[in-house]
Amino acid sequence: MQDHATTPTATPDSARRVGIAAEFRSSPLGLLVQTSERPGVVAAETLLLPLLALLIGYVFSRSDPLWVHAEFPWSWFAPMIVALRYGPIAGLSAAGVLLLGWLGFNREDVSSFPQQYFLGGLIVVMIVGEISSLWRARIRRARTAQYYMDQRTEQLVRQHYLLRLSHDQLEQELIGRPVSMRDAISVLSGLSGAPGDAQSLLNLLAQFCQISAASLVAVHDDKLELQPIAQLGGVHEIRPEDPLLRQALEARVLTHVSQGLREAQQTRYLVVAPMLDLSGEIYGLLLVEEMPFFALKEETLQTINLLLGYYTDSVAANRLAQPLLQAYPQCPQPFASELQRMEHVNRNAGLSSLVVMLELSPQAVQSQMAQQLMRLERMLDRSWLIEGRSGKQWLAILMPLGTSATAEGYLSRIEVWLGQRGLESLGAAGIFPHTILLDRCSASSVLEQIDRMSHD
């Protein structure tokens, strides 16, 4: 991947244009069009240029300093240059200096005043001044537009540069976390606590939470085993006297160095997370020694808690689901186990789940709608088909880590599927949905609601 942490540079075309403009400004013609906005400078040029023309005329033609009778009136160059630079008013003022100069040279006899000479000169100066004003206005508008476009271009370049950096960071994050939360839970659901499953859990944590070096240590009867059951990033000696480790073991909650631990400077670990089963017993500890600084945030810590809890729940699910199965023997074991896991996830990580209850009318039952709807389940969903009264059926679908929006999306997918079969809505197909949100309620209370709804 290319490193984009460099400042954007100008394009070759813009650099070439800048070079041409600089070369033109340094030429004599470029100096001619470089004007000043200060009134003192404008007044000085308006006065000095015609005086300079009078001086040159007096030096080279004392009998006719303004070249009134010459083949070309060279003295009018001064007012034309002033008009070209600053407009018609300044040009006429410079022409007034020439008029005063002629009066000064011919103060003894003003009867020979050259009317056509000055009239023609004034007309030329006014034309040059108007053209100058027109082009100065156009140049001013072009400069304003160019300034605005330069600002917009610079803003777009910065936004594009930031977008590239954001894209690179997102790409790196996706490379470090190539699986979704549901994919991770799907992998964990296949782990049963076998000897090699702890290493698989640690590898998944490293992939999902960007952990570089860590260990999994077993805990039996609140006593820490010094021999790790899984390691990542090399062999590390366990330090049971570490203050962060002791705090996590005593408090039975995830601890990390940014929590303001007094002895944080003496700890070797960044994160210590207990592996609690559904009964609250410690199964083990995750000791994280190395991970990127930007990864140490609330979302990552919550993910570590979730994955560790789901793994320990998978190991203890069969044993802990027995009370639910005894109370509701018709409930499938996968449904009860998953419901028990989701209760623990909600209690520890605050992530809700839900159960969608689909009431199937006798017409839908005859069409074997339940079997077809079960084919539309997601990978992590668990279903339970219940025989109701009066020929009805109830299909309970447990959606782990789902919200109300998940239920709406699932029902919309069913409606699209029904529309492809010529049915306009769920009601037309004899399907009536109900939702039970697993949020701060126990698994037994959810099963109680399911049993009550299906037998009403």
Side-chain angles (χ1 to χ4, degrees), residues 339-340 342-344 346-347 353 436-447 449:
L339 186 61
Q340 194 74 51
M342 290 302 103
E343 177 193 351
H344 183 64
N346 177 253
R347 186 170 62 248
S353 302
I436 302 174
L437 187 62
L438 180 59
D439 188 12
R440 298 184 179 87
C441 59
S442 62
S444 58
S445 65
V446 173
L447 289 180
Q449 294 182 57

Side-chain angles (χ1 to χ4, degrees), residues 154-283:
E154 184 178 359
Q155 183 181 6
L156 290 175
V157 168
R158 289 178 179 176
Q159 291 177 352
H160 177 67
Y161 180 62
L162 292 176
L163 183 62
R164 291 173 62 186
L165 292 179
S166 176
H167 178 270
D168 289 348
Q169 184 176 359
L170 180 61
E171 187 177 15
Q172 293 175 2
E173 199 170 313
L174 290 177
I175 290 174
R177 187 191 288 184
V179 294
S180 66
M181 180 67 73
R182 301 192 192 283
D183 295 334
I185 291 180
S186 177
V187 173
L188 291 178
S189 61
L191 303 180
S192 59
D197 289 348
Q199 188 63 47
S200 300
L201 170 64
L202 190 56
N203 293 337
L204 183 63
L205 286 169
Q207 187 180 30
F208 201 85
C209 302
Q210 305 182 33
I211 297 175
S212 303
S215 302
L216 281 175
V217 183
V219 176
H220 300 290
D221 299 328
D222 291 339
K223 293 183 179 179
L224 187 68
E225 299 290 336
L226 298 181
Q227 185 64 31
I229 58 176
Q231 285 189 325
L232 180 72
V235 179
H236 307 277
E237 180 182 357
I238 305 302
R239 298 176 57 184
E241 71 283 356
D242 189 276
L244 198 65
L245 188 152
R246 290 202 311 268
Q247 179 176 330
L249 195 59
E250 293 172 1
R252 296 174 183 263
V253 294
L254 183 145
T255 57
H256 52 90
V257 293
S258 60
Q259 287 180 325
L261 186 66
R262 278 187 237 166
E263 303 178 42
Q265 67 276 9
Q266 301 177 4
T267 183
R268 191 177 68 181
Y269 305 113
L270 300 178
V271 179
V272 179
M275 301 169 61
L276 300 174
D277 61 16
L278 290 172
S279 62
E281 296 296 327
I282 294 184
Y283 176 81

Side-chain angles (χ1 to χ4, degrees), residues 61 63-76 98 102 105-106 112-118:
S61 178
S63 61
D64 189 11
L66 273 70
W67 286 289
V68 175
H69 305 289
E71 295 182 359
F72 186 82
W74 298 102
S75 58
W76 282 102
L98 290 184
W102 185 90
F105 288 125
N106 300 274
S112 60
F113 179 73
Q115 298 179 1
Q116 294 186 1
Y117 172 83
F118 278 99

Side-chain angles (χ1 to χ4, degrees), residues 357-361 364 392-395 430-434 453:
M357 292 287 292
L358 299 178
E359 180 183 356
L360 307 178
S361 65
K392 292 183 179 180
Q393 285 183 341
W394 291 79
L395 181 60
I431 304 173
F432 306 95
H434 309 272
M453 292 175 63

